């Protein structure tokens, strides 16, 4: 007995029959070794065309060279195929995996690799006209020792069966046109895989910037979805990953709520007048319009009051005639100062979470640190915007850009493949 068989012997004591959409998955002891079997549900196996469907799939999948595709051999009885013997290995469903070890979703590469491998295999199958149809958590398997994904039986081989019976209990993961007996296409896999992504993140929370992608992928009308799983997957990886999304989303909301003040701080502020001299010169003619405050003064107004009004109106006049070029130069200088200072401060703050030690924290600890980091970023943005006389709308936009750029840089430094995908030169550009 080798080491893997020893582990399986140990684990099988805890193993019971696990319900899949089409049958029960379990281990059977044969000649001193445990083998994987799926015993089909009677209501599925009784269909007149079922045995031929299983034989056809077994033969076709034997030609698929992908480690994430499980192969099997039909078990024949008097009434036809009643079970299948699955290749050797210690496999569990994703439903079991997350129930037994929910913290696995917080592992840096787990979700990325799962989605990548599922998309890669599904695309390969779709090119052959094979569609998995149902990515329910109890219809997607994982190898127990490393949690890598595996797929077994594919729904398109069983299109002749009653689909509502076949997918009883997991209807939410099946495209509506399939349940209605319609044509099964790649768009059905787009729908179901998007539902699986939603389920996968149900505890951690679906990344904010993925919500629009998932909404399109799960549209009731197949024509409104992505055309292929390839399109869906790249729409997901082209957005921020779940941790960067959580960070930037929190930061943007916190900054938007925390910043108060007026929009325009770029004009120089007038100095306070400590005292005034008596008016000796005539009041300028261009200040004597019919709305002028001087007309409201009584005959007994003193010279100090008149001088204050004149000084005020002169400053207003000067501020309205500031050269436009000078204003733009002032604005550019303010932005330059803010960018330099905030980049340095944001880099310091983000480094507290985005490092090899902190990225391996539990989901709870990671979110707690993200909230603390968000508050610190918001405070820094507010203080630096004020000190550089930069308006809140402009400073918020610049801060978001800087956070986005720094986060991407730090994530790529941690994950050289960036979400598990080696980008070519074209994609990088």
């Amino acid at each position: 007995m080798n080491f893997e068989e020893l582990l399986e012997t140990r684990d099988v004591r805890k193993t019971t029959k696990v319900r899949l959409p089409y049958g029960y998955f379990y281990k059977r002891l044969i000649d001193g070794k445990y083998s994987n079997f799926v015993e089909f549900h009677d209501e599925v196996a009784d269909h007149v065309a079922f045995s031929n469907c299983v034989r056809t799939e077994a033969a076709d999948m034997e030609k698929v060279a992908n480690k994430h595709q499980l192969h099997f051999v039909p078990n024949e009885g008097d009434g036809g195929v009643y079970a299948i013997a699955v290749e050797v290995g210690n496999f569990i469903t994703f439903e079991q995996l997350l129930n037994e070890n929910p913290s696995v979703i917080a592992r840096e590469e787990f979700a990325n690799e799962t989605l990548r491998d599922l998309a890669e295999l599904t695309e390969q199958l779709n090119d052959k006209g094979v569609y998995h149809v149902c990515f329910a958590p109890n219809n997607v398997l994982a190898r127990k020792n490393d949690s890598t994904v595996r797929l077994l039986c594919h729904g398109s081989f069983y299109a002749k069966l009653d689909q509502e019976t076949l997918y009883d209990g997991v209807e939410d993961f099946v495209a509506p046109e399939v349940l209605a007996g319609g044509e099964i296409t790649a768009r059905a896999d787009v729908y179901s895989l998007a539902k699986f992504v939603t389920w996968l993140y149900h505890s951690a929370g679906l990344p904010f910037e993925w919500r629009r992608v998932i909404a399109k992928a799960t549209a009731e009308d197949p024509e409104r979805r992505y055309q292929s799983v390839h399109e869906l997957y790249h729409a997901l990886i082209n957005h921020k990953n779940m941790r960067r999304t959580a960070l930037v989303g929190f930061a943007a909301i916190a900054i938007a709520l925390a910043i108060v003040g007026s929009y325009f701080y770029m004009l120089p502020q007038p100095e306070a007048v400590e005292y005034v001299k008596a008016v000796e010169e005539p009041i300028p003619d261009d200040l004597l319009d019919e709305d002028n405050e001087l007309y409201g003064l009584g005959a007994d107004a003193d010279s100090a009051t008149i001088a204050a009004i004149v000084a005020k109106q002169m400053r207003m006049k000067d501020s309205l005639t500031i050269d436009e070029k000078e204003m733009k130069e002032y604005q550019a200088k303010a932005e330059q100062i803010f960018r330099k200072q905030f980049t340095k401060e944001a880099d310091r703050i983000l480094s507290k979470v985005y490092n090899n030690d902190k990225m391996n924290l539990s989901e709870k600890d990671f979110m707690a640190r993200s909230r603390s980091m968000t508050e610190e970023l918001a405070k820094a943005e507010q203080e630096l915007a004020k000190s550089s006389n930069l308006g809140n709308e402009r400073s918020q936009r610049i801060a978001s850009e800087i956070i986005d750029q720094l986060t991407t840089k730090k994530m790529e430094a941690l994950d050289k493949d960036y979400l598990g995908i080696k980008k070519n030169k074209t994609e990088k550009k």
Side-chain angles (χ1 to χ4, degrees):
M1 179 179 293
N2 59 33
F3 183 68
E4 183 173 349
E5 291 171 340
L6 179 64
L7 291 178
E8 289 189 26
T9 302
R10 181 197 66 184
D11 292 339
V12 76
R13 297 170 187 170
K14 302 177 183 179
T15 302
T16 57
K17 287 186 176 181
V18 178
R19 182 180 175 86
L20 308 181
Y22 39 84
Y24 286 101
F25 181 81
Y26 65 100
K27 292 182 181 294
R28 181 187 298 176
L29 185 62
I30 300 177
D31 296 331
K33 293 184 178 180
Y34 285 97
S35 300
N36 298 308
F37 277 85
V38 174
E39 183 179 331
F40 295 115
H41 299 313
D42 290 341
E43 59 270 24
V44 174
D46 287 345
H47 193 282
V48 66
F50 179 75
S51 293
N52 285 335
C53 294
V54 177
R55 297 186 191 105
T56 300
E57 181 178 18
D60 287 356
M61 290 303 98
E62 195 64 36
K63 304 172 186 176
V64 176
N66 189 308
K67 68 178 183 179
H68 302 290
Q69 172 63 53
L70 291 177
H71 301 94
F72 63 86
V73 176
N75 279 23
E76 303 273 355
D78 294 338
V81 176
Y82 68 92
I84 55 175
V86 184
E87 67 180 74
V88 175
N90 196 5
F91 307 112
I92 59 176
T93 67
F94 257 70
E95 187 174 50
Q96 288 176 290
L97 177 64
L98 265 67
N99 282 339
E100 295 176 7
N101 185 18
S103 64
V104 70
I105 191 65
R107 208 177 72 201
E108 185 176 353
E109 291 304 319
F110 171 73
N112 297 336
E113 291 176 356
T114 296
L115 295 182
R116 179 197 64 194
D117 295 340
L118 277 176
E120 179 186 286
L121 174 58
T122 305
E123 185 179 353
Q124 182 180 351
L125 294 172
N126 288 176
D127 289 343
K128 298 178 180 294
V130 177
Y131 308 103
H132 191 63
V133 181
C134 179
F135 289 91
N138 65 340
N139 198 34
V140 178
L141 302 177
R143 195 168 71 166
K144 191 168 184 179
N145 64 338
D146 60 8
S147 302
T148 54
V149 70
R150 296 292 188 274
L151 292 183
L152 185 53
C153 295
H154 304 295
S156 58
F157 286 102
Y158 307 93
K160 295 180 180 180
L161 279 62
D162 181 74
Q163 300 299 289
E164 290 188 350
T165 300
L166 181 61
Y167 298 115
D168 181 35
V170 291
E171 297 91 339
D172 288 346
F173 292 89
V174 181
E177 68 273 13
V178 175
L179 295 175
E183 181 183 6
I184 298 176
T185 68
R187 295 177 191 267
D189 276 355
V190 168
Y191 180 97
S192 188
L193 184 57
K195 287 288 189 178
F196 177 80
V197 171
T198 303
W199 174 85
L200 193 62
Y201 286 94
H202 74 281
S203 60
L206 186 68
F208 181 79
E209 294 190 1
W210 283 7
R211 293 179 185 178
R212 183 173 296 182
V213 176
I214 296 299
K216 178 177 179 180
T218 55
E220 290 290 313
D221 183 359
E223 295 300 319
R224 296 178 58 190
R225 301 175 202 151
Y226 295 100
Q227 295 183 13
S228 65
V229 167
H230 175 84
E231 284 190 13
L232 167 62
Y233 179 62
H234 281 276
L236 290 173
I237 66 171
N238 285 338
H239 289 71
K240 299 171 186 175
N241 66 48
M242 60 181 177
R243 287 176 177 162
R244 187 178 66 180
T245 299
L247 170 63
V248 177
F250 277 129
I253 294 172
I255 290 172
L257 294 177
I259 298 175
V260 294
S262 61
Y263 169 71
F264 197 71
Y265 282 95
M266 290 175 288
L267 293 178
Q269 298 298 313
E271 296 181 0
V273 178
E274 298 293 338
Y275 66 93
V276 295
K277 296 181 179 180
V279 178
E280 298 177 356
E281 297 295 327
I283 297 172
D285 293 336
D286 57 356
L287 291 182
L288 295 177
D289 54 39
E290 55 184 45
D291 292 325
N292 199 290
E293 294 181 34
L294 294 174
Y295 286 138
L297 295 177
D300 58 347
D302 57 31
S303 60
T305 302
I306 296 173
I309 294 175
V310 171
K312 175 183 176 183
Q313 295 186 359
M314 287 296 289
R315 287 197 301 271
M316 291 176 61
K317 183 176 185 298
D318 288 343
S319 67
L320 293 172
T321 56
I322 288 178
D323 184 75
E324 183 178 351
K325 181 180 179 181
E326 182 181 349
M327 183 185 300
K328 289 182 178 179
E329 290 175 353
Y330 189 96
Q331 176 180 327
K333 184 65 175 178
E335 285 190 17
Q336 184 181 10
I337 294 172
F338 177 83
R339 281 183 182 276
K340 183 177 181 179
Q341 294 178 339
F342 186 77
T343 299
K344 180 179 179 180
E345 192 65 10
D347 184 77
R348 180 186 67 79
I349 295 170
L350 291 171
S351 296
K352 295 180 180 180
V353 170
Y354 283 88
N355 59 65
N356 289 325
D357 294 332
K358 299 300 186 295
M359 293 300 283
N360 291 322
L361 294 173
S362 67
E363 174 195 349
K364 181 179 179 181
D365 289 338
F366 181 84
M367 295 305 293
R369 289 183 178 273
S370 295
R371 285 191 292 271
S372 175
M373 180 170 49
T374 295
E375 295 172 358
E376 197 170 353
L377 283 168
K379 182 179 179 181
E381 195 277 345
Q382 184 180 14
E383 293 175 351
L384 292 175
K386 185 176 181 180
S387 65
S388 59
N389 284 332
L390 196 65
N392 67 318
E393 182 177 339
R394 187 173 299 276
S395 66
Q396 180 183 345
R397 177 180 58 79
I398 295 173
S400 296
E401 292 174 358
I402 292 172
I403 292 171
D404 190 14
Q405 293 168 3
L406 288 176
T407 307
T408 300
K409 182 178 179 181
K410 291 183 182 297
M411 288 301 298
E412 288 179 339
L414 291 169
D415 177 12
K416 300 300 183 184
D417 292 348
Y418 190 59
L419 295 184
I421 296 298
K422 290 282 189 182
K423 294 187 176 181
N424 57 39
K425 293 181 180 180
T426 304
E427 288 176 323
K428 286 182 179 179
K429 293 180 181 177

